[in-house]
Amino acid sequence: MSFVLWAYLVPALSSVGLIVATVRGRRPRNKIRLVDAPTHDVWEIAFLGGGPARLVDAALAALHEDGRVAVGEPGVVTVLRDAPRDAVEAAVLKAAAATPGGALVAVRRGRWPTPRSRRSATGSRSAD
């Protein structure tokens, strides 16, 4: 082989080797899977995603979808059927029924940051 051929072949092979090493180095080695961080239920996900207000929104959405609650245009919540499936829905239905005029803002504000509601939202049994 001539010197000119080596002058082109060596840099080309080293470039290919560097590209392969770079691509291999940038690949994630340990992928985080969803099963690695299990959650207990949808209420926990809603609470962790946005706090008490998001938890109330998720519960109201579930109650509205089943036809147990009606949400009016100016932000008025009306309880149509008082049939909760769990503690979170029972607390939201109770707050909606106790709110004068059924104002959505008052239902969302409610008394949610209490330790009891946090425990029922996250499903934990430990005392605060």
Side-chain angles (χ1 to χ4, degrees):
M1 286 198 190
S2 70
F3 177 74
V4 175
L5 182 63
W6 279 104
Y8 286 111
L9 189 60
V10 169
L13 289 176
S14 84
S15 296
V16 168
L18 288 172
I19 291 171
V20 168
T22 302
V23 168
R24 282 187 181 168
R26 289 190 179 181
R27 275 194 232 162
R29 296 190 187 274
N30 296 327
K31 292 183 179 179
I32 297 174
R33 300 177 304 160
L34 293 177
V35 295
D36 293 338
T39 55
H40 299 289
D41 59 358
V42 70
W43 304 130
E44 181 179 6
I45 295 168
F47 188 83
L48 293 174
R54 183 70 53 89
L55 174 67
V56 173
D57 289 344
L60 283 172
L63 291 167
H64 179 70
E65 184 177 346
D66 290 347
R68 294 179 278 168
V69 165
V71 181
E73 181 63 34
V76 176
V77 179
T78 306
V79 177
L80 300 176
R81 252 184 350 192
D82 191 9
R85 293 184 183 156
D86 53 26
V88 175
E89 287 183 356
V92 171
L93 285 170
K94 182 179 176 183
T99 302
L104 178 60
V105 175
V107 173
R108 288 184 81 214
R109 208 174 314 139
R111 291 154 84 200
W112 291 103
T114 63
R116 183 176 176 195
S117 64
R118 281 197 303 266
R119 279 196 306 274
S120 68
T122 58
S124 66
R125 301 288 180 232
S126 63
D128 288 324

PDB file of all heavy atoms in Angstrom, residues 3-4 7 11 28 32 37 56 62 69 96 124:
ATOM      1  N   PHE A   3       1.659   5.313   0.668  1.00  0.00           N
ATOM      2  CA  PHE A   3       1.520   6.254   1.778  1.00  0.00           C
ATOM      3  C   PHE A   3       0.216   7.047   1.677  1.00  0.00           C
ATOM      4  O   PHE A   3      -0.428   7.330   2.676  1.00  0.00           O
ATOM      5  CB  PHE A   3       2.727   7.194   1.798  1.00  0.00           C
ATOM      6  CG  PHE A   3       2.626   8.229   2.863  1.00  0.00           C
ATOM      7  CD1 PHE A   3       2.820   7.894   4.194  1.00  0.00           C
ATOM      8  CD2 PHE A   3       2.319   9.546   2.556  1.00  0.00           C
ATOM      9  CE1 PHE A   3       2.721   8.847   5.180  1.00  0.00           C
ATOM     10  CE2 PHE A   3       2.215  10.495   3.536  1.00  0.00           C
ATOM     11  CZ  PHE A   3       2.428  10.148   4.854  1.00  0.00           C
ATOM     12  N   VAL A   4      -0.193   7.411   0.458  1.00  0.00           N
ATOM     13  CA  VAL A   4      -1.413   8.200   0.259  1.00  0.00           C
ATOM     14  C   VAL A   4      -2.643   7.399   0.702  1.00  0.00           C
ATOM     15  O   VAL A   4      -3.563   7.933   1.333  1.00  0.00           O
ATOM     16  CB  VAL A   4      -1.524   8.635  -1.221  1.00  0.00           C
ATOM     17  CG1 VAL A   4      -2.832   9.346  -1.480  1.00  0.00           C
ATOM     18  CG2 VAL A   4      -0.347   9.491  -1.626  1.00  0.00           C
ATOM     19  N   ALA A   7      -2.756   7.397   4.385  1.00  0.00           N
ATOM     20  CA  ALA A   7      -3.098   8.736   4.876  1.00  0.00           C
ATOM     21  C   ALA A   7      -4.613   8.953   4.872  1.00  0.00           C
ATOM     22  O   ALA A   7      -5.135   9.726   5.687  1.00  0.00           O
ATOM     23  CB  ALA A   7      -2.407   9.789   4.024  1.00  0.00           C
ATOM     24  N   PRO A  11      -7.252   7.908   9.141  1.00  0.00           N
ATOM     25  CA  PRO A  11      -8.226   8.868   9.712  1.00  0.00           C
ATOM     26  C   PRO A  11      -9.686   8.431   9.510  1.00  0.00           C
ATOM     27  O   PRO A  11     -10.529   8.667  10.391  1.00  0.00           O
ATOM     28  CB  PRO A  11      -7.961  10.168   8.955  1.00  0.00           C
ATOM     29  CG  PRO A  11      -6.586  10.045   8.420  1.00  0.00           C
ATOM     30  CD  PRO A  11      -6.370   8.585   8.175  1.00  0.00           C
ATOM     31  N   PRO A  28     -28.747   5.495  26.989  1.00  0.00           N
ATOM     32  CA  PRO A  28     -28.999   5.310  28.425  1.00  0.00           C
ATOM     33  C   PRO A  28     -28.823   3.850  28.813  1.00  0.00           C
ATOM     34  O   PRO A  28     -29.309   2.952  28.131  1.00  0.00           O
ATOM     35  CB  PRO A  28     -30.448   5.757  28.596  1.00  0.00           C
ATOM     36  CG  PRO A  28     -31.060   5.636  27.247  1.00  0.00           C
ATOM     37  CD  PRO A  28     -29.953   5.843  26.251  1.00  0.00           C
ATOM     38  N   ILE A  32     -35.485   4.005  33.344  1.00  0.00           N
ATOM     39  CA  ILE A  32     -36.442   3.995  34.439  1.00  0.00           C
ATOM     40  C   ILE A  32     -37.776   3.543  33.872  1.00  0.00           C
ATOM     41  O   ILE A  32     -38.321   4.148  32.959  1.00  0.00           O
ATOM     42  CB  ILE A  32     -36.557   5.390  35.065  1.00  0.00           C
ATOM     43  CG1 ILE A  32     -35.221   5.794  35.663  1.00  0.00           C
ATOM     44  CG2 ILE A  32     -37.649   5.404  36.120  1.00  0.00           C
ATOM     45  CD1 ILE A  32     -35.192   7.197  36.174  1.00  0.00           C
ATOM     46  N   ALA A  37     -41.704   2.597  40.000  1.00  0.00           N
ATOM     47  CA  ALA A  37     -42.278   3.532  40.960  1.00  0.00           C
ATOM     48  C   ALA A  37     -43.794   3.354  40.994  1.00  0.00           C
ATOM     49  O   ALA A  37     -44.530   4.135  40.413  1.00  0.00           O
ATOM     50  CB  ALA A  37     -41.921   4.957  40.561  1.00  0.00           C
ATOM     51  N   VAL A  56     -59.252  17.321  44.122  1.00  0.00           N
ATOM     52  CA  VAL A  56     -60.670  17.671  44.038  1.00  0.00           C
ATOM     53  C   VAL A  56     -61.120  17.700  42.580  1.00  0.00           C
ATOM     54  O   VAL A  56     -62.201  17.210  42.243  1.00  0.00           O
ATOM     55  CB  VAL A  56     -60.939  19.022  44.728  1.00  0.00           C
ATOM     56  CG1 VAL A  56     -62.363  19.481  44.500  1.00  0.00           C
ATOM     57  CG2 VAL A  56     -60.659  18.915  46.212  1.00  0.00           C
ATOM     58  N   ALA A  62     -64.516  12.567  37.941  1.00  0.00           N
ATOM     59  CA  ALA A  62     -65.062  11.212  38.029  1.00  0.00           C
ATOM     60  C   ALA A  62     -66.541  11.245  38.413  1.00  0.00           C
ATOM     61  O   ALA A  62     -67.352  10.489  37.860  1.00  0.00           O
ATOM     62  CB  ALA A  62     -64.273  10.398  39.052  1.00  0.00           C
ATOM     63  N   VAL A  69     -72.714  14.216  39.841  1.00  0.00           N
ATOM     64  CA  VAL A  69     -72.528  15.643  40.076  1.00  0.00           C
ATOM     65  C   VAL A  69     -72.725  16.366  38.756  1.00  0.00           C
ATOM     66  O   VAL A  69     -72.313  15.877  37.699  1.00  0.00           O
ATOM     67  CB  VAL A  69     -71.103  15.920  40.628  1.00  0.00           C
ATOM     68  CG1 VAL A  69     -70.745  17.371  40.548  1.00  0.00           C
ATOM     69  CG2 VAL A  69     -70.991  15.458  42.056  1.00  0.00           C
ATOM     70  N   ALA A  96     -69.156  19.672  48.522  1.00  0.00           N
ATOM     71  CA  ALA A  96     -70.028  20.293  47.518  1.00  0.00           C
ATOM     72  C   ALA A  96     -71.421  20.535  48.075  1.00  0.00           C
ATOM     73  O   ALA A  96     -72.051  21.557  47.786  1.00  0.00           O
ATOM     74  CB  ALA A  96     -70.104  19.412  46.273  1.00  0.00           C
ATOM     75  N   SER A 124     -52.181   6.515  52.929  1.00  0.00           N
ATOM     76  CA  SER A 124     -51.290   6.121  54.004  1.00  0.00           C
ATOM     77  C   SER A 124     -52.062   6.032  55.315  1.00  0.00           C
ATOM     78  O   SER A 124     -53.068   6.700  55.513  1.00  0.00           O
ATOM     79  CB  SER A 124     -50.139   7.119  54.141  1.00  0.00           C
ATOM     80  OG  SER A 124     -50.639   8.366  54.554  1.00  0.00           O
TER      81      SER A 124
END
